[in-house]
Every structure is written in C-alpha cells, then in structure tokens.
Amino acid sequence: MKYISCYLCILFFLVGCGRQLPVVQKLAPLPVQGSCSIAVLPFLNESTYAQGGAIVNKVFLSELAGSGHFQILQEGDVLDLYQQLFLYPNQLPNREQLKMMGGRLNPDLFVGGVVQKMATNKTGNFVDTELTLILLLYDGKSGEMLWTTYHRRLGEEYQQILHLGRINTITGLVRRMSQEIITDWFKQGMTPCTE
Amino acid sequence: MIKQFFAQKVLVRIGIQRYALFFRYCILLLATLFLWTATVSAQSIAFFPLLDLSTDPNGINSQLTERVRQELLGYDKNLIPAEEIMDFLIRNRIRKLGALTVYQTSLVRKELKADLILLGTICQVTDGEEPVLSLNLQLSRTTDARIVWAQTRNLSYSDLINLFGIDTPHALPDLYGPFFEGLFASLPQDVSLREESFNTLNVATVYITPTTVRPGEEVSCRIKMHKSLDEKGIQPDLYVQIGNQKYPLAFDAEGYYLEASWIAEQDAGSYPVNLLANWPSGITRKGAIGSYNVDDHASGVKLLLLGIERDGEILFSEKLTIIPKLIEPEPIIRWEIVVTNEDGEIIVLMGAPGNIPRSLTWTGNTSLGNVASPGQYLITFKAWDRAERESSTEASVRYLPEIPAIIINISKQKEKLMVDLASATDTPLNFWWAKFFREDGRLLKMVQGTELPVAIELEVKPEETENIECLLAARDILGNQYEQKILNLLQHAGNEDEETETSIETEWVEEF
C-alpha cells in the first residue's frame, strides 16, 4: 500500500508537470447559432521572434480552414478593416471596433490572440522549439470576449523513440498546437458548420 | 419456310438495331464523361507570388514562387500565366501579398477568369548548412471567396538526419525533393464552383464626422463602395440607420461617395450607425459601420497643487507640481495652462493636443526663460473635450525663492556677549540652530529653535582674548537653506560697523 501511494504520488507529480492540453476558460457561452463563420484577427507578437504573430496567424487560419468545419473569412478583409480603423496589426481591437468589424464582415466569431513566447534554440543536430499562445474568442456581433485558451508546448515533448516525432521547426510546432487547440474546442462544445 | 426465314431475318435486324442503339447511348455517355472530365480539369488557378515572412512582413520570394509553380504544372493544373498575375497586381494596386479581400477575389474572377486562387506564405526559410523550409498554402474559390483547401508543410535538416548521417541535407535545394513530394497530392481535383449571389455590403471606406457632437449638431456619413460584385449590376437601396430612423444614402456631386446627414440626438450617449441594404429581390442586410457620441456637458477639471500650504495659501520655492484631474473623465483633444502675475500679465503659456498630462512642474521660470519674481501667481488650466466643450479651473500660488537670511546683532557687556538673531524674510522657518566654539575647539554653547527673533547670552570672561567661532544654520518651510560661519565673534562684535576681516562662509564645514 505504501509503495502504491508513493507510485501514485510520483505519477501525479509527473502528469502535473507535463500538462499538455490547452487550458480553456469560458467567460460566456458561444453563439447559439453555432460558430460557422470565423474571422481570424492578426495575432499580437510579444515574443522576440520576428514575424511570430504573422506565422501563427497564417498557420492557425489554415488549420481552421483545413479542419473543414468552418468558413474562414478572407484575411485581406480583416486587414483592410484594421487599416480603416487605424489599427496596427500588432494591436487588439476594442469592443467597439470589434462590433464595427462584425457589422462589416458578419462573422459568428472573432479569433485573435497573443504570441507570448516563441523561441528556437539549436542543441546538437536538433532544434529546441518553444511556443506559448493565448487565444481569445470574441462574439462576432457584440465583440464580447467569450473564451480564452492558453497553450504552451515544447517541440521535444513530441519526441517518441530516438529523434522520431520531435518538432524541429517553429511552424511545425504552431501547426501541431493549432490542431490541439481546435480539437479541444470541439471537445469543449464548439459547434461547427452544419452544412 | 419462306415466311419463317423472313421472320428470323426481321428479328435479327431488330436485334442489330437494338445493339446499335445501345452502342450509340454508350458513345454518348462516354462523350459526356469526357467532356465533364475536360471541364473539371479546366478549372483555372491564379497562383500569386509567395509572401516571404523570413525577410520582412511583406517580402517576396521569386525563386520559391517559380519552384511551386513548376510543381503545380506537374499536377496538370491550368495555371494563369505569371505575367498576367503580375499585371493584375499592378493594375489593381495590390501591395500586400498572401491575402486578398473578397472584392479583390471577385476581380480575379472577372479579370483573370480564374476559378481558384492559390495564395502562399513562406513562414521560415534558411539556406546554408542547416536548411529549413516552411510553407503555408491556401486555395480559395473565386465564386464565393471561400477557402476550400489549406496546407502547411515544414521541413528541417534535423528531420532528415538518419542513423549514419547519409544524405543529410546541407543546402536548401537538398530539401526540395522531400518537401515538394506530394505537396499538392491532397489538392481537390474537383472544386464545386457554387454560383452565389454576392449579397454583401461591399463597403470600401466609411467616414463618420464628427465622431463626438453636441446635441442638435449635424452628423454626416460618407461611404465609398466597391463596384458591385453582382455581375448583373443590381445595386441595393442603401440607408444609414440610427435607432429606428433611416436616412437614405445618395451619391455626392462627384459620384464618388454615398452621403447622408442627420441631426444628432438630444440625449447624451453613444449611437451606433448601421448600414441597411435592401436588394430588389427582397434580401435585406444590416451591419454596424461605426458610431458617434453625443456629449451634452463639459467634463470639468480641477487642480491639485503640491506645495506647502499655509493659512489657505500654497507656497513653493524650487518647483511646484501641478496635477490636473478631470471631474468626469473622458477623452480630451487639447489642453492649455496659463500663469499670470499680480498685474494680470501672462508669464507662462503652454498647451498641447491630446489628453491632459498626468502632472506638470513649474520651476518658477517664465515661458521666455527668465526667473519670475517672488509673489502671488494665478494658474489657469483649460481642457477641451471631443465636442470642443471647454472646462477651466484656477488656483493661486505664492512663489518664494528667497534664501532665508538671519540678521545678527552682537553686543558686549561686562562678562557677557549678547547675540541677537532675527529673520530677514517673512517665510516661516522650519528650524534654526547656532553653535559657539572656543578657540581650542570646545563647545561653548549650542542653541536651536523654530522661531526667530531670539537673544542668546554667552558668558565670556574679560581676560579672555580667545576667538569665539560661530556656526549658524536655518531652513525655511519651503526647503530654502541658510548657512553661515563666523570665525571671530568678538572681533565681529567689536567692529560691527566697520569692514572687518570676519570671514563668512556659505559652505558647510560640519557634518550633522
């Protein structure tokens, strides 16, 4: 019994340290009509990685579109509105501005976010990659913040046997983490397009 | 027999005719299938130059663009020539790669006759000993501007290192083989091109002026629309809607902007502006295009002066910190501060556009750089809100930059030396002290206090001829300090009215 409790303690400790699922915080329910049409806002880049926000924006948008469950609004339209509202791509719109964008683009949801940390470090023949993301989901009509998602992963966490599975590029890590976030959103009750 | 023979012949002929009919149907079916296949494979793709994020936010990579184009051709895709794409970008002044608007997508369909658009972004590219390549591709339909396929592929030299280090890539072209292999394998062969009516508002720009108004003032809205995406050119009736009120939009004199104006509401608050479009088919669309605020009163402002308060008056010597505060906080478009002297002359005038400063510091200098004379001053702070409503407040201060001076009167009696100290200025003192030393350095007397005048009595024997040294210090309530050292007090007393050799130092000679 003593050994079993010790083993369980160590197991919980290891599992606790290596939390690999995105953390979703629900501030308000998602739109009743579903989350079919999504406008992806430019991501803020708080990391030192050049163009980190733009990379996450492109890859996350592609993964959302590639999932086949959403209609993704054209990135050009979002950027066009940013320009009209005098917003820099490295800036999050306020609720009033989101409401205005919602009136023009008519999405069900806005997805924006912050790249908190994006880093690569060469170790031997491999590259250590690290990414910390915060995603923010806003209502497409009112601009109200509905969900937030925090996700942090290292490329080496995907390593299985030898060097297999290890993610050596930052784009690869963004892609993998985007897939994990989208899958988790579905599990959390996000309703995709029905058509 | 003959009848039977002819009957059989007729039957055979009927059979042949049936087979012929069957073959004809087969040929017709095959021809239809062939034509359908030909139509499908004829879906044309407009492949735009790749955005290269590894160089700058709007970088271009011609080498990899050409490489991807060759790869697409290998998949038997009907590509719009690169020259036509470049002409299209220049003609329509598209300066940003990797993204298009819905309107630009419709232009691709109209001008380039393309069914699909392929946009790509190079997320990472590193050449050299340790090559890395990451590419993101998005395929959109031109009929409804929807993304129908997206792919992100990434490859690093680290991914290709094997156990014995054989065939490890050492340059970017070494990655091309495994990278481009099967890149477009999942590209849909048949994208259904749904003809959708573009019942979109298709707004290019919106100007609502002014964004903050007083009740009853005129508000105008100017909207520039893109050309209709509806190929039949059916335009909707457009209105600006505020609450339940609708105001029709009409073209201006140049026919460039759609304009509408209305009178602002009497009640203060934020009013959303909606664009309402009614198509002849009965379809209606409404969307928020902006908002404006009605401001019916000024915000009000107050001043907090960080000086020494005495008898309800603010005093300062070195610097005065002025903290302006809005009573009802709201955005401010400009502010101004004015300092006037007792004669009503403006000695400081300063202002700036934007919100009020967190704090201001006045060091007693005028706007021309001169030092203001001691006295009473009036500080006036003004702020204007977005509706140009003025808020103003005043505060009075007294500027006292003078260093406190102490008048010393010394009178010698039989065995006593009387030292009278008095303040030469009106500013109250924080403290003062005086120390008297014999020639050998021993302390004769020490006196301290907060108020002057004061009379100090020193016992000096008549036979004493030694020098008595005096250290004197004072600080007023504004922080101004006074220090004096008299080396020979007796001599100072004896030759009070004459120019003596008494040395008066203004530097500190003692640590305390």
Side-chain angles (χ1 to χ4, degrees):
Chain A
M1 191 66 193
K2 194 179 171 185
Y3 289 110
I4 292 170
S5 56
C6 266
Y7 171 75
L8 281 174
C9 278
I10 293 165
L11 188 72
F12 279 129
F13 177 74
L14 290 172
V15 169
C17 283
R19 183 180 168 83
Q20 293 172 345
L21 283 174
V23 183
V24 178
Q25 195 177 4
K26 296 175 184 175
L27 307 171
L30 292 180
V32 185
Q33 74 274 14
S35 314
C36 188
S37 144
I38 294 178
V40 180
L41 305 171
F43 279 68
L44 265 71
N45 186 18
E46 287 182 357
S47 74
T48 51
Y49 198 96
Q51 308 305 328
I55 293 171
V56 175
N57 184 271
K58 292 279 178 192
V59 177
F60 188 77
L61 191 149
S62 289
E63 289 306 316
L64 271 178
S67 70
H69 298 297
F70 305 104
Q71 290 170 19
I72 309 301
L73 300 181
Q74 286 291 327
E75 193 191 341
D77 285 320
V78 177
L79 292 175
D80 197 34
L81 277 177
Y82 260 58
Q83 205 172 347
Q84 285 182 37
L85 295 169
F86 302 107
L87 278 167
Y88 287 105
N90 205 19
Q91 221 178 330
L92 274 176
N94 60 30
R95 195 168 169 176
E96 199 67 33
Q97 289 163 329
L98 279 173
K99 212 189 280 185
M100 212 179 294
M101 288 170 76
R104 299 274 292 273
L105 300 172
N106 205 25
D108 294 324
L109 279 181
F110 284 109
V111 177
V114 184
V115 180
Q116 281 210 318
K117 188 166 186 184
M118 185 184 265
T120 55
N121 187 29
K122 196 181 172 307
T123 48
N125 282 327
F126 303 103
V127 181
D128 285 341
T129 50
E130 186 183 351
L131 179 65
T132 308
L133 278 178
I134 293 175
L135 277 94
L136 308 163
L137 269 72
Y138 302 95
D139 184 82
K141 305 285 176 291
S142 64
E144 182 192 2
M145 193 187 283
L146 307 175
W147 285 12
T148 64
T149 305
Y150 173 87
H151 198 22
R152 178 180 180 270
R153 293 303 296 265
L154 307 173
E156 63 191 272
E157 287 173 1
Y158 297 92
Q159 190 165 345
Q160 294 153 357
I161 305 161
L162 296 173
H163 67 279
L164 299 174
R166 186 189 176 97
I167 297 175
N168 294 299
T169 59
I170 205 74
T171 315
L173 188 60
V174 176
R175 188 183 171 207
R176 189 66 177 268
M177 285 174 65
S178 302
Q179 288 166 351
E180 287 170 356
I181 291 167
I182 295 164
T183 309
D184 196 57
W185 282 354
F186 282 131
K187 281 183 193 164
Q188 299 280 344
M190 184 182 270
T191 321
C193 291
T194 47
E195 58 178 277
Chain B
M1 283 292 285
I2 297 165
K3 272 185 180 176
Q4 274 185 343
F5 172 74
F6 277 108
Q8 276 179 349
K9 216 172 181 181
V10 168
L11 282 171
V12 169
R13 211 175 262 178
I14 290 166
I16 290 166
Q17 280 177 346
R18 276 182 182 169
Y19 278 117
L21 203 65
F22 173 73
F23 277 119
R24 271 184 209 161
Y25 280 127
C26 283
I27 289 163
L28 203 67
L29 192 70
L30 282 169
T32 315
L33 271 169
F34 175 75
L35 280 170
W36 180 74
T37 318
T39 315
V40 167
S41 64
Q43 281 185 346
S44 54
I45 299 177
F47 173 54
F48 281 75
L50 293 174
L51 166 68
D52 190 353
L53 289 176
S54 67
T55 52
D56 67 80
N58 201 20
I60 186 168
N61 192 318
S62 310
Q63 191 191 348
L64 275 168
T65 302
E66 192 49 40
R67 186 71 181 76
V68 175
R69 172 171 279 277
Q70 291 304 319
E71 199 64 31
L72 268 171
L73 287 169
Y75 278 87
D76 196 25
K77 297 291 173 195
N78 181 14
L79 285 180
I80 305 287
E83 297 76 29
E84 283 187 35
I85 300 283
M86 201 50 81
D87 287 348
F88 173 83
L89 288 171
I90 295 164
R91 191 167 56 247
N92 292 293
R93 297 178 181 182
I94 298 170
R95 299 178 184 91
K96 176 88 183 152
L97 295 172
L100 289 175
T101 64
V102 171
Y103 177 66
Q104 287 162 346
T105 307
S106 76
L107 288 178
V108 173
R109 181 169 175 75
K110 198 175 172 186
E111 294 181 16
L112 298 175
K113 311 283 183 227
D115 301 312
L116 301 162
I117 296 171
L118 185 65
L119 296 171
T121 306
I122 299 163
C123 299
Q124 283 177 274
V125 62
T126 314
D127 205 350
E129 279 294 303
E130 295 159 356
V132 179
L133 182 58
S134 299
L135 182 66
N136 170 262
L137 293 164
Q138 292 169 15
L139 187 75
S140 307
R141 277 194 300 233
T142 54
T143 48
D144 58 356
R146 246 176 228 179
I147 299 169
V148 291
W149 176 84
Q151 173 92 296
T152 305
R153 185 166 278 209
N154 47 275
L155 194 65
S156 161
Y157 73 100
S158 306
D159 300 330
L160 299 173
I161 291 173
N162 55 34
L163 200 60
F164 300 106
I166 302 163
D167 288 338
T168 303
H170 293 294
L172 190 61
D174 296 344
L175 292 183
Y176 286 171
F179 187 86
F180 289 107
E181 190 185 343
L183 178 65
F184 295 109
S186 62
L187 198 70
Q189 291 297 317
D190 167 29
V191 178
S192 62
L193 302 172
R194 289 190 292 179
E195 286 293 344
E196 288 201 356
S197 172
F198 279 97
N199 288 320
T200 52
L201 293 176
N202 212 11
V203 177
T205 47
V206 177
Y207 301 103
I208 296 168
T209 47
T211 50
T212 302
V213 288
R214 298 181 188 196
E217 277 186 352
E218 191 180 85
V219 187
S220 70
C221 175
R222 293 200 309 159
I223 301 172
K224 186 173 176 280
M225 307 288 283
H226 287 305
K227 285 176 190 170
S228 175
L229 295 177
D230 190 338
E231 292 192 353
K232 292 168 193 164
I234 298 167
Q235 293 285 353
D237 292 327
L238 294 167
Y239 302 91
V240 167
Q241 191 179 27
I242 293 106
N244 295 322
Q245 290 289 318
K246 288 198 298 185
Y247 304 95
L249 281 156
F251 276 106
D252 62 359
E254 288 86 27
Y256 196 67
Y257 285 102
L258 284 160
E259 282 184 332
S261 57
W262 62 94
I263 300 299
E265 291 70 12
Q266 290 300 319
D267 298 330
S270 177
Y271 292 86
V273 179
N274 293 302
L275 179 63
L276 185 70
N278 292 332
W279 271 269
S281 57
I283 296 168
T284 302
R285 257 209 73 186
K286 191 171 97 170
I289 52 169
S291 64
Y292 65 95
N293 297 301
V294 176
D295 189 357
D296 62 350
H297 65 282
S299 60
V301 67
K302 61 181 178 183
L303 283 183
L304 177 65
L305 304 177
L306 301 185
I308 303 294
E309 192 177 346
R310 193 174 175 88
D311 302 331
E313 196 178 34
I314 303 292
L315 314 174
F316 81 103
S317 64
E318 281 183 13
K319 61 180 181 181
L320 176 73
T321 304
I322 305 161
I323 302 173
K325 288 268 178 200
L326 292 173
I327 296 164
E328 288 177 48
E330 65 168 314
I332 293 295
I333 56 163
R334 67 191 165 97
W335 58 270
E336 189 181 271
I337 189 163
V338 177
V339 180
T340 44
N341 62 16
E342 285 160 316
D343 301 330
E345 291 168 346
I346 295 171
I347 61 157
V348 175
L349 176 63
M350 192 180 146
N355 274 324
I356 59 168
R358 295 170 76 90
S359 71
L360 290 156
T361 305
W362 185 37
T363 55
N365 287 341
T366 67
S367 288
L368 297 173
N370 303 321
V371 178
S373 51
Q376 191 87 19
Y377 290 94
L378 186 71
I379 297 170
T380 310
F381 188 87
K382 291 177 183 176
W384 288 267
D385 66 12
R386 291 173 299 174
E388 285 283 342
R389 285 185 187 276
E390 183 186 304
S391 304
S392 176
T393 187
E394 289 178 345
S396 176
V397 290
R398 182 171 286 277
Y399 177 48
L400 297 167
E402 297 161 324
I403 293 168
I406 295 176
I407 302 162
I408 309 162
N409 282 316
I410 303 159
S411 53
K412 196 174 178 183
Q413 292 174 6
K414 285 179 185 173
E415 291 187 353
K416 285 178 185 173
L417 197 66
M418 296 300 294
V419 181
D420 294 319
L421 301 178
S423 176
T425 60
D426 296 335
T427 315
L429 294 177
N430 221 346
F431 68 84
W432 66 267
W433 58 255
K435 288 180 184 177
F436 303 91
F437 297 92
R438 291 182 193 279
E439 195 172 20
D440 57 4
R442 282 183 297 139
L443 184 69
L444 179 67
K445 193 165 190 173
M446 180 183 158
V447 193
Q448 59 185 8
T450 54
E451 284 182 6
L452 288 178
V454 71
I456 304 163
E457 196 178 283
L458 297 175
E459 286 183 13
V460 184
K461 291 173 185 170
E463 64 273 18
E464 277 183 332
T465 54
E466 63 185 340
N467 292 334
I468 294 174
E469 190 178 297
C470 173
L471 286 179
L472 196 58
R475 192 169 78 182
D476 68 12
I477 56 167
L478 301 174
N480 300 316
Q481 293 201 88
Y482 166 84
E483 302 104 27
Q484 191 174 4
K485 181 182 178 184
I486 303 167
L487 289 174
N488 192 338
L489 199 65
L490 291 169
Q491 194 179 2
H492 189 76
N495 308 300
E496 206 175 351
D497 300 327
E498 298 169 17
E499 288 290 320
T500 63
E501 291 178 1
T502 306
S503 69
I504 296 171
E505 294 181 10
T506 53
E507 288 176 4
W508 278 117
V509 289
E510 188 186 62
E511 295 285 340
F512 67 98

